[in-house]
Every structure is written in structure tokens, then in C-alpha cells.
Amino acid sequence: MKSNDFDNIACPIADVLGVLNDKWTGLLLRDLLLGVKRYSDLQKNSNITHATLSSRLKSLESNGLVQKQLYQTNPDRYEYHLTEQGKDMLWLVAALAQIGTKWHLSDWIDTPLQFVNTATGHFVRLALIDEQTGEEVDVSKVALVEKGK
């Protein structure tokens, strides 16, 4: 469910932020992208309370980012699988990780997350690419502009 604060803002950034809600949702997306699927494992990885985890998973499901799949009965137990929309959140998670690593926003000596091309095994990073030339553009040479202005 999207935040009421963003309902009347026609902006793709507001749309994504409305889905994310808070840091817990971002950390859950990280864990889901790492392949963690079960409720108990998600809870353990993030040290998140059960109430918060349940709420965020329901929000991710209602926003189309995860699908709940039954893997056990008596009692019923579910796994949470990213949808295509949820898998696209890798862009956001990679950007956050890349910025956090560049600016050493925590005391990590070594980067705890790496992004790898599964076909080659080589590390990957996000880059801004000029649509006409195909060349990488330094972030200092990029401006955000409103369409039509």
C-alpha cells in the first residue's frame, strides 16, 4: 500500500519511496535478492521484530514485489519470492551499496556485498551511460531535469 503522502505526486521516485516505506523494507529486499526466502531466515538476517517483518512482507506483496508460496502444511509455512518488479529493485539496492561503499558510510573495512555477473563471474557496478554515444558519464556531468522544462 502506497503512502498517502505520495498519492498526488506524479514522480517515479515518489512511487518507489512509497513502496519502500522505511529501512526495514530496503533490508528485506537486500535479503530477498541474496536468496533468503523463508520468514524465519528473513527475521534472523535482519534482526527485525515479527510485527515489523510481517507488516513489511504484506506491503511488499500488496505492491507486487513478492509472491508468497506455501512450502509446508501443518503448520502452514511460506517462502517469499521476488516478482519481476521485485527483481528490478536490484538497481536500487546496487546503487545504495555502491554509494555506501564509495563514501564509507559505516565502519566496514571490507565491502560486505558484491555484485557479480552470473555468466562470467566478474564484478559489476552501476554506471550512467550516454544514450547516444554509449559512453560512461561521470556523475558530476549529469543534471536531473524535469521533462518539458
Side-chain angles (χ1 to χ4, degrees):
M1 101 184 48
K2 292 184 181 177
S3 167
N4 288 336
D5 295 341
F6 294 149
D7 283 347
N8 296 318
I9 300 173
C11 174
I13 296 168
D15 291 343
V16 173
L17 292 174
V19 169
L20 288 181
N21 294 322
D22 63 12
K23 67 180 179 181
W24 292 115
T25 306
L27 292 177
L28 287 174
L29 285 170
R30 174 204 64 191
D31 289 346
L32 290 162
L33 287 161
L34 284 168
V36 180
K37 293 177 177 37
R38 296 190 175 175
Y39 186 97
S40 60
D41 294 332
L42 289 165
Q43 195 278 325
K44 185 170 55 174
N45 267 24
S46 296
N47 198 28
I48 188 173
T49 67
H50 289 287
T52 301
L53 176 57
S54 179
S55 169
R56 297 319 180 269
L57 286 171
K58 285 177 184 170
S59 177
L60 287 170
E61 187 177 14
S62 70
N63 281 293
L65 276 70
V66 298
Q67 286 182 322
K68 192 165 73 166
Q69 295 179 358
L70 185 69
Y71 74 88
Q72 174 188 313
T73 57
N74 293 330
D76 288 352
R77 301 258 188 239
Y78 295 90
E79 289 183 334
Y80 296 86
H81 296 267
L82 290 168
T83 63
E84 287 304 310
Q85 183 178 340
K87 290 174 186 175
D88 271 356
M89 290 294 174
L90 178 67
W91 289 90
L92 180 61
V93 171
L96 292 170
Q98 198 165 306
I99 293 166
T101 299
K102 177 181 178 180
W103 294 104
H104 304 286
L105 297 177
S106 65
D107 293 331
W108 292 104
I109 293 171
D110 195 14
T111 305
L113 295 174
Q114 296 177 320
F115 296 82
V116 177
N117 179 337
T118 58
T120 65
H122 300 151
F123 296 118
V124 297
R125 64 181 171 79
L126 293 180
L128 297 166
I129 306 297
D130 185 298
E131 286 188 354
Q132 296 295 314
T133 67
E135 294 177 11
E136 186 173 337
V137 180
D138 186 272
V139 71
S140 67
K141 304 273 193 251
V142 177
L144 180 63
V145 296
E146 290 186 72
K147 192 173 181 176
K149 291 189 179 186

